[in-house]
Amino acid sequence: MKNYIIKRILLGILVLLGVIAITFFLTRVIPSNPAAQWVGPRATQEQINKATIELGLDKPLYVQFGKYLKDLFQGNLGNSLRTKQPVVKELKTYIPPTLELVFFSTILAIIIGIPLGLNSARKKDQPLDHFCRFFSVGAVSLPTFWVALFLQLIFFRWLSLLPLGGQLDTRIKLLYEVPHYTGLLLFDSLIDGNFTIFFDALKHMLLPAITISLYPIGLVARMTRSALLEIIGEDYIKAARSYGLKEKLVMWKYALKNSLGTTITVLALSVGYTLVNTFLVEAIFSWPGIGSYIATAVMSLDYPAIMGVTLFSACAYIVLNLIADIIVALDPRVRV
Amino acid sequence: MNQSQLIKSLKPKYKEFKVSLFLLKKNRLTKMALYGVVLLVLIAIIVPILLPSAQHIDQDANPQQKLLQPSLRHPFGTDELGRDVFKRVLLGTRISLQTALIAVGMALLIGVPLGAVAGYFGGFLDEIIMRFTDIFLGFPPLLLAIAIASFLGPNLRNAMLAIAISWWPWYTRIVRGQAVSLKERQFIKASKAIGSPPRKIIFKHIIPNCVAPVIVQASMDIGGVILTIAALSFLGLGAQAPAPEWGLMVSTSRNYFLNAWWYSVFPGLAIFFTVLVFNLLGDGLREILDPKTRKN
Amino acid sequence: MSSNILEIKNLKKYFPIKSGFFSKVSAYVKAVDGVSINIKKGEVLGLVGESGCGKTTLVNTVLNLIEPTEGEVIFDGKEMFTLNKKDLRDIRKYIQIVFQDPFWSLNPRMLVKDIIGEPLDVQAGMNSLEIVPKVEELLEMVGLPKEGVYKYPHEFSGGQRQRIAIARALALMPKLVVLDEPTSSIDVLSQAQILDLLGKLKEKFDLTYILISHDLSVVSYMSDKIAVMYLGKIVEYGDSRKIFENPKHPYTQALFAAIPDINTERIEDIATLEGNVPSAINPPKGCRFHTRCPKAMDICSKDEPKLITLSDGRSAACHLMK
Amino acid sequence: GGNNNGIGGADQMDIVYYAYNAEPILNWDPSVMFSNGVIILNNVYETLLRFDPDTKEFEGILATDYSQSEDGLTWTFNLREGVKFHDGTDFNAEAVKFSIDRTIEMEKGASYIWSAVEKINVVNDYTVEFKLSYPAPLNLIASSPYAAFIMSPSAVQNNGDEWFEQANEAGTGPYKLESSSMGDEVILAKYDDYWNGWEGEHFDKAIVKKVSETSSRRQLIEKGEADITHNLPAEDVEALKNVQNVEVLSLPSFTNLFGFFNTEKAPLDNVKVRKALAYAFPYDDVVNYAAGGYAEQSRGAIPKGHWGRGDDLFQYSKDLDKAKSLLDEAGINQGELKLLLTYMSGDEAEKKAAELYKAELSKIGVELEIRAMPWESQWEMAMDTNAQNRQDILMMYWWPDTSSPYSWLYSLYHTEEDILFNLAYYYNEDFDEIIDNAYALSGEDLDASEQEFIRAQEILIKDSPSIFMFDKEDVWILNSSLKGFKPNPAYPLVVYFYDCYRK
Amino acid sequence: MSERPYLHIKDLKINFVSYEGEKTVLNIDEIKINKGEAYGIIGESGTGKTVLALSILQLLEMPPGKIVSGQILLEGDDLLKKTQRQMQKEIRGKKISMIFQDPMSTLNPVFTVGEQMIKVIEENQKLDRKQAYKKAVEMINTVKLADAERVMNKYPHELSGGQRQRVIIALALSCGAEFIIADEPTRNLDVTIQAGILKLIKNLQRNLNVTVLFIANNPGLISATCDNAGVLYKGEIIEKGTTREILRNPQHPYTFTLLNAIPKNKDTKIDLSKVIPPNDGEEIKEGCIYYNRCLKKQESCKKQQKLLNVKDTHYVKCSLFREGVNNEQ
Ligand SMILES: Nc1ncnc2c1ncn2[C@@H]1O[C@H](COP(=O)(O)OP(=O)(O)OP(=O)(O)O)[C@@H](O)[C@H]1O
Ligand SMILES: Nc1ncnc2c1ncn2[C@@H]1O[C@H](COP(=O)(O)OP(=O)(O)OP(=O)(O)O)[C@@H](O)[C@H]1O
Ligand SMILES: [Mg+2]
Ligand SMILES: [Mg+2]
């Protein structure tokens, strides 16, 4: 088992290296000249040439890659072409809000998706199942960005219930010392015991989180349903019933636990989806996370920034999958 | 093969078909999804032929008529340049279906053989292929497509390519899994015992037996790909104006959506409907093609 | 001895168990551990033993479907393991195998024509037009209507499917047919028919069979010789009648006594063997059976008994035999 | 102002909220900043002079007055006394010399505007003298929105150049930086020691925030959450005009839109083809619908309201017949011509203009492919050494770095060895000579200089290296309680928060 | 037999719905099982043995399954009339429990043996956890598994097939059920292990007085274990009686053929003429279900068949019996 974990981790590192290589070489096929971007619009050719050398773009590709790797290990992702700031530094400010959003959405996905899938499986081919299936398939079929627009329309414009965007009300930001320990606002404000900030942050998070969690909700519900259906058909569930165990126990304990392996794996996948969905909706909600960051970077071909976000997301995703795999492998009760 | 042989050899296929049809009938949601898909395909094929002005869609701009409310003349209203949203949504069907089909097709072409080879031969080759796939799977969904599309430059062809590149590993994985379990099946052993070369085993035994899961996955992926294309277009990485691509339309309509809800609603609904229909179909197909359901 | 069609000499197959990060081989499953048997032309060899004792592995190794670890197999005078690929393919024509599960031994997505036709296509290079009449002929030979050519396997019952598998095995006119539990997943009626068919085909084409089964009645019904396997080794080998009448090895005895038949009236008549089959990774020292043997002696846990030929021509590996 | 800094008094606090469509600032270095940052830095830093394009007058900010020698090569500025930088040090002539020298030496951003400056001399604590190598309008240059800021020398010397990049400032402006979260949001707070004092009504704090969605900006202003915004689609502007607490303000900007032809590639090397294409452009539709009516068809290269604009210059108008016959003359048949137009991704007006143009061209059998590209890629393509690889038409806005016609005519049409912004690849020695002379003249005689610039544009119109699409108007959406806001087109999109107050 | 049988199945007819339409998989006239006896059911694969077992416990999936008619009376109480809830509360585990066909898939892989047992005991015997644990250990000892406490802590995949099957039996017993349905409990086990399991079940029936419904596909298995037995063919009981009567004096052509088809040894060839059905392709819709394969079919077989009493408890569902044809065997 230990060996499996070590193997799995080393494999993760290998995949990571591959991911780095792919992102790096991708950036080298871009048709635009990063040096020109670096010096900004209306720059002279001389300035561009100087920047080319400064950025090491005149060296052969493998040298550049070597340097890139070296920098990476020193925690240096280069500087954004647009803002000239170190990408790492920018990521540091943009990642926590996104993480917060992803975390919140994943929780939604779990608390809505799993019961949905379970009830669907329990009442297979009955109206409830049809409804749940339609809902979960519908949830994964909705264009996220479109949903975002309409949620804004409904909850801000029509109902005036929830804020349009941002992470915190500007006025609250001016009035209170906004805590900054982890960068996760909800968490930090709880540490501080500042409930005004907490509830305001929560209010701001609701719309983006709901939007983003739609896909994972559907995904988790669908996967839970199909995993459970498979499990319900197994002899050991029939057997459990034949021993006279309560239906609740059979479903919520026996069957659900058996599907835990699938659920954990799906959750890892669904976090991947939430992560990337933030790219589509953060800008709409003016959410100061890596989603907004990459959306702007894409518009201006800021390749170190794109690469930074890509690498971060891929790392997060790989680690997540790794953890999921290890949990599944470690716990004999989940391993089947 | 002469004609009578051909007819005879088709008969069992017909029976299989009947089984599928029965299961389909039982599954109302899937049946509706199938109608939906047929409808979409018809729209994609017929509308560009029927609409004489489809060739001149470029000339449709008529800004005096901009952002008109839905009416009999313009059932979905008009857009910011006075073009009929209904017509553009209809014409967009072809773009979406076509790109999705091509992208999925490309992904299949890369993914399926690789998976079969990896699974069948195992060992070192398997290791290499699967580590390579792992790397591609190491990206969260959609992210690689975004990265590739943004680096290749924004247009629909590149978006398609980007999607295919980020999608094939899923097929490799599925097919490999199948191949590994098939390899242990006795009919493959029997074929080996006969002395069939690996090429024949892969193409006659392995790939045909992967068809069901691959079809299920592919039909669901078409939905996913359409959504991805729309997302890429939304980010400005897909289709280029004035192409009537749904994602692009939603993206553009963002600027008008407080004044002209219809401009956002209908292309968005079109995406939703199409993706939904393909997802439902895939879901249903999974049940229908599942050997467990099929056995009896 | 010249009439031996197959000679197996000290054949071993160890499956490595990999563990550790660099997939170091930490142990071996000794699935087949030094088996030597000769089979005469036209003979039926029955191979019996509990599940996991290595029967399938033995035949798969003989057929070179999996790599042997050690040993020699001489088929029709040719050393199988030293053959090159082409010669191996050629020789495969002469050895065929019929598997246990008639559903999974036939590709569910292929027509019967293609299933039975596959060897004809691969080995004889026949085209589709030549194949169909040949397949029809083969189907009739195994007692199936020739209309079956254009059907899928799932349209047949278990017994019929097994006939199709037999037809495929016979398509190339082999000399040796390995039957790996050919009837264990079909009902007794079909089984009777299949056994009968196998007998007839054997006469007609002068075949040699290796028959694996854990159903002793089937083995006793079909076989001329019997080999009893326990944990990768042959513990008793010899003439079928003699062994059934008077099993010598304690394992053979226990095996035979454990099987209830319709004449068993009292449950006490069924003998039970205590304990489970030990692991093939770490087989017990000495006699492998001594952990379960009702007649175990001290020596059994120390020395491994050799397979010795007894006076009546059969052989057994037991210290009691001395 | 009557500020009320209690916790309960959030609503009474004097805050002005500017919802901006992009990051309000990306580069905090006042010598380098050459983009969005104007809107922040012009509140934090100050320049010697400020130009009022309406009156063509120069208002003294950090300089009280200035003079110029006969030959136009020496400019002397008298500086304001009693000004303190935000770090507490005093503003003086040394600081001016230090700042401008630093900008020139760094050679970044818009530093080239100072290229005429040979030497800066500190005459005394409050007098500074600029020696030029050729005559140039230094008053215009010194009032430039970029690269003309005066910063605290001690702050730079103590902290180093990188200090700025970590979002710091050392200006003299009325507001100082309170906090900034990367590029997204900047909060400014009043600088108590501002030289002009805080008499009268002013805001205590100013928030500039990136709100990239137009719909969000509109909703924010409608709900009264934001005070100022701009860059809304015309439809939204129309709708907002009827909203009670919202005020709409439109006025000419100095930004205009061009469509440069690739004159080095056949058949666009043929002036007839270029003219035909200029005649096919739907000027009225573009003005009315792409720019939402907040624009005017360009007359030459200089935008309306800016000096050097020729009010009598010839304007092309949409005339498809003429376009067709010109194409016929050039020997181009129906359906033969396929062109590629690139525009900057994300710009709605450019996109709509391109689409409208495409529709018109399609009617005369010219197929136009339009492609949205990030500006850098678009530019990169235009700079390709092989003319065949470049786009045929490139859309680009231009606005002045100093308020002179030369900023347009030199940058866009002057012969260049390496292509930079002459994206029509236009070479005309006569033209070059006229504008060079006109520029030198502008320091002395603005009117004479203007006439020369107009003459140069006549040549451009004849040669038609580009389509002069439209002169853009800036449309400001304000909360009607916001008073005192006076936009100055020479300082694009800058809101001088000091001038504003709430009523 | 005036006494009320413990389990009484009457006219049970169960259909399955598939693409070919409805198909009857079970059509049982009558089965009576007395308290404390071991009753055997033999039949080929796919004749409906498992369906019968599941329908007693109402665990049959419906759809595709469908109960057309009939009664399953447990001590006079019709199980088919009970709701799932009632079944769970009153019957399953309390009165009846089941040993499934495949020991590999009957245990829940994610819980230890102990956890599963304790839960079942807690549920059915209303004991607290500690008592339940003790009881579980006791049960494991009952099924002759050595080292009960260690077995309790193991996950199913850590046990061998024989051990698992014993655990499953222990589970079925630990409910405290007085009636156990054993659905081919040794099908996937080795003969040497099978022997042990057979003995175990027999001993339970004898010593603990549990009633056993023993399902097997091999007549050899029931001969020593069951008192009475029925032969199931295509969902119908075609012959029933004491085990001895059925095995020694089979009356139905099918039973007869079945027993004849078992190979004995090399010297006693199977008489194929007594096994292989006539290939005349004649099919009938009504009447005897064995008609197509029957070696002795006659006109009268095309009529609806009834169970006929041969002697004492021995019944056969073959019209030929009355006509005396069968007796010539
Ligand atoms: N590919 C393999 N890798 C590792 N171990 C194997 C492999 N194939 C078989 N074994 C092991 O070898 C031993 C013998 O297996 P084999 O299949 O030959 O048994 P068998 O006698 O045919 O059993 P059965 O009656 O169940 O078919 C078993 O312990 C099995 O687990
Ligand atoms: N879920 C189901 N759907 C449709 N048909 C079914 C289903 N389960 C069982 N059947 C059908 O019911 C019949 C009886 O099946 P059953 O499982 O009871 O057979 P069995 O006698 O237990 O066989 P085996 O010895 O193989 O276990 C079979 O023909 C089978 O095809
Ligand atoms: Mg085997
Ligand atoms: Mg069964």
Side-chain angles (χ1 to χ4, degrees), chain D residues 167-226:
Chain D
N168 289 298
E169 49 88 8
T172 58
Y175 288 91
K176 59 183 193 195
L177 171 66
E178 177 166 298
S179 71
S180 98
S181 56
M182 294 316 286
D184 286 342
E185 182 183 61
V186 174
I187 300 177
L188 303 176
K190 71 172 190 176
Y191 172 49
D192 291 327
D193 292 336
Y194 183 54
W195 57 267
N196 210 7
W198 291 95
E199 296 298 308
E201 294 197 90
H202 302 281
F203 284 108
D204 296 331
K205 291 196 175 173
I207 299 166
V208 186
K209 196 168 174 175
K210 169 182 166 183
V211 183
S212 47
E213 293 295 302
T214 57
S215 58
S216 300
R217 290 202 299 283
R218 167 173 166 187
Q219 297 183 70
L220 284 175
I221 207 108
E222 258 179 331
K223 295 241 163 181
E225 286 188 22

Side-chain angles (χ1 to χ4, degrees), chain E residues 19-158:
Chain E
Y19 73 97
E20 285 170 332
E22 256 182 65
K23 179 177 88 173
T24 303
V25 294
L26 210 57
N27 189 5
I28 290 177
D29 297 305
E30 188 170 54
I31 295 180
K32 286 182 187 163
I33 302 174
N34 293 319
K35 192 151 179 71
E37 80 167 335
Y39 193 94
I41 298 272
I42 51 170
E44 292 171 32
S45 186
T47 46
K49 303 186 293 295
T50 303
V51 169
L52 171 63
L54 292 177
S55 59
I56 293 174
L57 281 165
Q58 276 209 48
L59 283 173
L60 201 62
E61 267 182 73
M62 295 193 272
K66 190 170 135 188
I67 294 175
V68 181
S69 64
Q71 283 178 315
I72 300 178
L73 303 169
L74 184 77
E75 296 178 312
D77 228 6
D78 191 355
L79 297 182
L80 294 179
K81 292 230 170 72
K82 294 197 184 293
T83 62
Q84 287 288 328
R85 234 188 126 70
Q86 284 172 320
M87 284 301 289
Q88 180 251 314
K89 280 206 141 153
E90 302 162 14
I91 308 295
R92 290 184 204 144
K94 280 67 179 182
K95 294 208 163 137
I96 314 177
S97 69
M98 179 162 165
I99 301 166
F100 283 77
Q101 193 163 325
D102 183 3
M104 293 304 163
S105 62
T106 315
L107 286 172
N108 194 326
V110 304
F111 294 97
T112 59
V113 168
E115 276 174 85
Q116 301 189 42
M117 293 203 61
I118 288 169
K119 236 171 243 141
V120 170
I121 294 169
E122 276 177 339
E123 176 72 31
N124 290 305
Q125 313 205 348
K126 308 289 173 233
L127 295 174
D128 67 23
R129 210 180 150 79
K130 238 192 185 150
Q131 291 169 307
Y133 182 87
K134 259 173 62 201
K135 175 93 192 175
V137 172
E138 203 179 291
M139 287 328 294
I140 292 179
N141 286 327
T142 315
V143 295
K144 296 215 182 89
L145 268 175
D147 222 351
E149 311 240 345
R150 238 190 53 223
V151 170
M152 293 271 288
N153 285 321
K154 289 202 168 181
Y155 286 96
H157 67 94
E158 296 169 307

Side-chain angles (χ1 to χ4, degrees), chain A residues 145-146 148-153 156-157 164-165 283-286, chain B residues 234 250-260 264, chain D residues 19 21 211-223 226 229-233 236 240 348:
Chain A
F145 44 91
W146 185 71
L149 293 175
F150 279 90
L151 287 183
Q152 280 187 335
L153 191 70
F156 177 76
R157 195 176 171 82
L164 186 64
I284 298 177
F285 289 108
S286 311
Chain B
F234 180 81
V250 174
S251 179
T252 312
S253 73
R254 257 194 304 177
N255 293 313
Y256 309 99
F257 106 104
L258 293 180
N259 303 305
S264 304
Chain D
N21 62 324
V211 183
S212 47
E213 293 295 302
T214 57
S215 58
S216 300
R217 290 202 299 283
R218 167 173 166 187
Q219 297 183 70
L220 284 175
I221 207 108
E222 258 179 331
K223 295 241 163 181
T229 193
H230 67 99
N231 202 354
L232 290 184
D236 284 334
L240 286 172
E348 248 335 87

Side-chain angles (χ1 to χ4, degrees), chain E residues 50 101 183-184 187:
Chain E
T50 303
Q101 193 163 325
D183 184 8
E184 306 190 51
R187 175 158 182 167

Side-chain angles (χ1 to χ4, degrees), chain C residues 60 65 75 91 99 122 135 139 205 239 264 281 293 301 315:
Chain C
N60 279 349
L65 286 174
F75 174 76
I91 210 164
F99 290 101
V122 171
V135 171
L139 279 179
F205 298 110
D239 185 72
T264 321
I281 301 171
C293 183
S301 56
S315 25

Side-chain angles (χ1 to χ4, degrees), chain D residues 77-79 92-94 121-129:
Chain D
F77 291 81
N78 291 319
L79 305 180
N92 54 26
E94 276 302 337
N121 296 318
V122 175
V123 179
N124 61 37
D125 260 7
Y126 292 101
T127 312
V128 68
E129 180 188 79

Side-chain angles (χ1 to χ4, degrees), chain C residues 55-56 100 180-181:
Chain C
K55 306 180 295 285
T56 303
Q100 164 180 2
D180 190 354
E181 317 212 12

